[in-house]
Amino acid sequence: VHRLRSVDNLFVVVQEFKDYQFKETKEDALKDLEDLVKKLSWTDPLKVWELNNSLKKKKTKRKKRNLQSTASKEKLNDDGEEEGTDQKDASKQEDCAQNAAGVEPASSQDTEKTQGVASQNGEEEEDDNEQSDAKDELQAGSGSETKAGDGETSEGEAKVLKFRVTCNRAGDKHSFTSNEAARDFGGAVQEHFQWKADMTNFDVEVLLNIHNNEVVVGIALTEESLHRRNITHFGPTTLRSTLAYGMLRLCDPQPTDIIVDPMCGTGAIPIEGATEWPSCYHIAGDNNPQAVKRAANNICSLLKKNENKESNTSLGIPLDIIQWDICNLPLRTGSVDIIVTDMPFGKRIGSKKKNWDLYPACLMEMGRICTPGTGRAVLLTQDKKCFAKALSRMGHIWRKGQTVWVNVGGLHAAVYLLKRTWERAEEKRSFW
């Protein structure tokens, strides 16, 4: 299950409540959540957690390096803007944290259905940021808990597990915030198990996912989100590797296919493609020199990582990165099998107004380079109105096959699968 490519986080479900009736007042609702802890059957989920841990220890000796988690956070801050930029989003969307619907229990993730994949990954785009916010506030809020735990553990430090509760809440009908729920539920967990509360060096992370009237209590099996696997240099809108994987799967790449990402940003899609579909040839490009530089750095990091793995001679990856203009691509007409790209939403990059000219021009140029009849494109955008209009104007060269709704950083976006018609795309170029 850890090897699945489209899954952000794994957890074992302790119990799931499809229609949980929250009490009217905040005090009663929170009291109910506290009482829930005693009623749940924790034994089997904790066995799964132990098994998961024993497998993990063989792979990494993280238990000895308690500084690991803080070090990786610092590294992120040095390397790229991801944390800073994401948190702006998080503050806007205070409570729409990791969507319970998005984080599937481990058991149901054995089959990677692409439709589920895209929606599931997107659904959680927000989670890491709000969790980190919740951690800080929760730490402040649970000072008393931590102190209570300290006394008990001075003698038998090794026996007492450290834990943290993370609440991810979505929906606007709740009388409490995710921090309040995490604090009170955490207090009850501490009382029940006599564990010690620790926000950073925890052994067990208990998850409380609340999505409208659905409540899922779980225990985390992943220490950090699995979407961070390829990218070391982040841009303002870096796509998660898990969502990139879902988009690539949607267009069903075949060996020898030429796959192009004409607006690649930091290269999340082509890097995921080159790693998972090495028998295809991947070309990535962007008009922003800074983005091209970051993507090149990400490719170098990946090559270094591969070298370390194999220790002897490392193979390259079938991927090239170029700076170009999306409306004048230096590619031969009909020479590309698949186009996969994350289009500018017009929020952090570009503007909604510019999209009205950009989208039709993009679709036209993508239509030109794509093989008539067999070519396909998978495009992600949140500017759905503008995209629909552009597509209706390009109906002669692109047919819409499928739409998958995704949640990207709290934004309701869509992934469109388009099929290239047999129609010839006009070539508006004098220099060809």
Side-chain angles (χ1 to χ4, degrees), residues 317-365:
I317 48 176
L319 166 58
D320 277 321
I321 169 99
I322 306 149
Q323 187 179 340
W324 61 26
D325 169 9
I326 175 67
C327 301
N328 284 302
L329 296 172
L331 295 167
R332 198 181 299 158
T333 299
S335 62
V336 171
D337 298 289
I338 294 172
I339 294 166
V340 186
T341 199
D342 170 13
M343 298 178 84
F345 291 6
K347 296 262 186 197
R348 289 189 194 157
I349 288 181
S351 70
K352 294 263 186 197
K353 194 171 165 222
K354 283 184 188 157
N355 283 353
W356 287 95
D357 293 327
L358 179 69
Y359 280 21
C362 285
L363 286 172
M364 175 69 88
E365 184 65 346

Side-chain angles (χ1 to χ4, degrees), residues 230-287:
N230 298 332
I231 306 298
T232 49
H233 295 70
F234 290 87
T237 56
T238 297
L239 194 69
R240 296 180 158 222
S241 300
T242 42
L243 186 47
Y245 177 84
M247 287 170 69
L248 283 152
R249 256 185 78 105
L250 203 54
C251 53
D252 188 25
Q254 298 301 311
T256 75
D257 274 353
I258 291 174
I259 304 177
V260 172
D261 181 351
M263 296 182 271
C264 71
T266 46
I269 294 172
I271 288 173
E272 184 64 25
T275 315
E276 296 299 316
W277 286 272
S279 53
C280 299
Y281 180 56
H282 304 263
I283 307 172
D286 203 284
N287 67 340

Side-chain angles (χ1 to χ4, degrees), residues 65-325:
R65 293 184 310 191
N66 270 349
L67 297 170
Q68 156 83 23
S69 57
T70 44
S72 66
K73 268 183 212 146
E74 278 159 30
K75 200 162 90 200
L76 248 183
N77 283 338
D78 297 344
D79 269 343
E81 306 95 316
E82 198 207 33
E83 273 207 353
T85 44
D86 276 3
Q87 270 162 6
K88 283 178 209 152
D89 256 22
S91 56
K92 275 185 223 154
Q93 276 246 335
E94 195 253 323
D95 263 337
C96 176
Q98 201 169 11
N99 199 324
V103 197
E104 298 266 309
S107 55
S108 69
Q109 279 163 342
D110 295 345
T111 53
E112 278 188 88
K113 286 279 184 287
T114 319
Q115 264 170 298
V117 161
S119 59
Q120 164 188 322
N121 296 319
E123 216 96 279
E124 305 161 29
E125 190 64 24
E126 182 85 18
D127 61 84
D128 285 2
N129 343 321
E130 212 235 0
Q131 283 187 14
S132 56
D133 289 355
K135 274 178 233 168
D136 303 337
E137 289 183 43
L138 186 51
Q139 203 157 12
S142 66
S144 55
E145 293 175 19
T146 319
K147 283 182 199 119
D150 281 345
E152 293 154 24
T153 53
S154 51
E155 285 168 52
E157 189 74 47
K159 292 175 206 154
V160 177
L161 286 174
K162 295 176 188 167
F163 83 102
R164 176 179 97 184
V165 170
T166 304
C167 174
N168 306 299
R169 187 182 72 81
D172 45 15
K173 295 193 177 75
H174 307 122
S175 57
F176 51 87
T177 67
S178 47
N179 288 331
E180 289 166 337
R183 183 193 63 209
D184 290 18
F185 193 79
V189 168
Q190 188 183 26
E191 235 165 77
H192 186 67
F193 289 105
Q194 297 296 301
W195 289 343
K196 179 184 172 186
D198 191 323
M199 300 305 119
T200 45
N201 299 322
F202 50 87
D203 304 297
V204 188
E205 182 173 26
V206 178
L207 301 172
L208 176 62
N209 289 338
I210 301 169
H211 183 240
N212 294 324
N213 273 4
E214 189 182 13
V215 175
V216 182
V217 179
I219 297 171
L221 301 179
T222 40
E223 284 178 37
E224 68 167 356
S225 181
L226 301 176
H227 77 267
R228 295 183 182 280
R229 55 179 170 263
N230 298 332
I231 306 298
T232 49
H233 295 70
F234 290 87
T237 56
T238 297
L239 194 69
R240 296 180 158 222
S241 300
T242 42
L243 186 47
Y245 177 84
M247 287 170 69
L248 283 152
R249 256 185 78 105
L250 203 54
C251 53
D252 188 25
Q254 298 301 311
T256 75
D257 274 353
I258 291 174
I259 304 177
V260 172
D261 181 351
M263 296 182 271
C264 71
T266 46
I269 294 172
I271 288 173
E272 184 64 25
T275 315
E276 296 299 316
W277 286 272
S279 53
C280 299
Y281 180 56
H282 304 263
I283 307 172
D286 203 284
N287 67 340
N288 181 341
Q290 184 64 35
V292 174
K293 194 174 153 192
R294 283 191 188 122
N297 285 335
N298 284 326
I299 294 167
C300 290
S301 305
L302 196 67
L303 286 169
K304 273 198 195 108
K305 199 166 86 181
N306 290 353
E307 251 171 52
N308 296 344
K309 262 189 215 162
E310 289 146 27
S311 66
N312 47 17
T313 52
S314 165
L315 298 166
I317 48 176
L319 166 58
D320 277 321
I321 169 99
I322 306 149
Q323 187 179 340
W324 61 26
D325 169 9

